Amino acid sequence: MGKLFSKENGEVFKSPLNLNNPVAVQVLGICSALAVTAQLKPAIVMGLSVTVITAFSNVIISLIRKTIPNRIRIIVQLVVVAALVTIVSNILKAYVYDVSVQLSVYVGLIITNCILMGRLEAFAMMNGPWESFLDGIANGLGYAIVLVIVGFVRELLGFGSIFGFQIIPDSWLLDNGGGYLHNGMMTMPAMALILLGCIIWAHRAYNKDKVQ
């Protein structure tokens, strides 16, 4: 039990959440970060989907890594990820169909997400199932955190709402005599890119003395 929660495993889990964040540091998976963050709900669902798929694909590949011929390892990794993506996609369609429609093709494109393939090749192929599970969960959560921040800001300033519930009162709007005007640019992918750039800048400025 002590080995499961050792200091080394703690570092495996903590590193992707901050100092080695897959989006803010490695700049991976930003395509979906730009495409699905116009509102907070699809951003959360996308982040959780990637987290689940990354964790379980890491575990599966770690379990069978010694039996995979080196020349076909990428093909095997893709098959495992594709199977998990199909399962997650069908679950989303069954239980949160409206969000599934909003996410559109980007759920299917998780198959080609650089974070997943990178962790399978760089970590799961060389480590045990428990360490690989922690690595998958942490990298997925690191990705999800960035999506949630971008989705929160874009929905709040672009629509004046969070989860579809109005946060900025109608009385504040310019049309009703107030001084606030919804920023339509926040709903555009270009603004997501700018916000993402701000997050990367803030993260690197905050951690500039901690990078080894």
Side-chain angles (χ1 to χ4, degrees), residues 14 24 173 199 203:
K14 290 189 296 183
L173 298 180
I199 291 172
H203 177 273

Side-chain angles (χ1 to χ4, degrees), residues 20 131 144 194 202 208 212:
N20 199 28
E131 293 83 358
I194 294 173
K208 64 179 180 180
Q212 297 178 349

Side-chain angles (χ1 to χ4, degrees), residues 139-161:
N139 276 277
L141 290 176
Y143 166 84
I145 288 169
V146 175
L147 260 66
V148 168
I149 294 173
V150 176
F152 178 87
V153 175
R154 291 183 71 191
E155 182 174 359
L156 180 63
L157 300 183
F159 300 99
S161 63

Side-chain angles (χ1 to χ4, degrees), residues 8-29:
E8 290 78 10
N9 286 343
E11 286 300 317
V12 168
F13 184 79
K14 290 189 296 183
S15 180
L17 299 178
N18 185 20
L19 292 181
N20 199 28
N21 186 279
V23 181
V25 177
Q26 301 177 47
V27 197
L28 299 175

Side-chain angles (χ1 to χ4, degrees), residues 70 164 180:
N70 188 59
Y180 182 78

Side-chain angles (χ1 to χ4, degrees), residues 55-65 68 80 84 124 129 132:
F56 285 98
S57 61
N58 263 17
V59 171
I60 294 171
I61 292 299
S62 177
L63 287 170
I64 64 175
R65 70 186 190 280
I68 303 175
V80 170
L84 291 171
S132 297

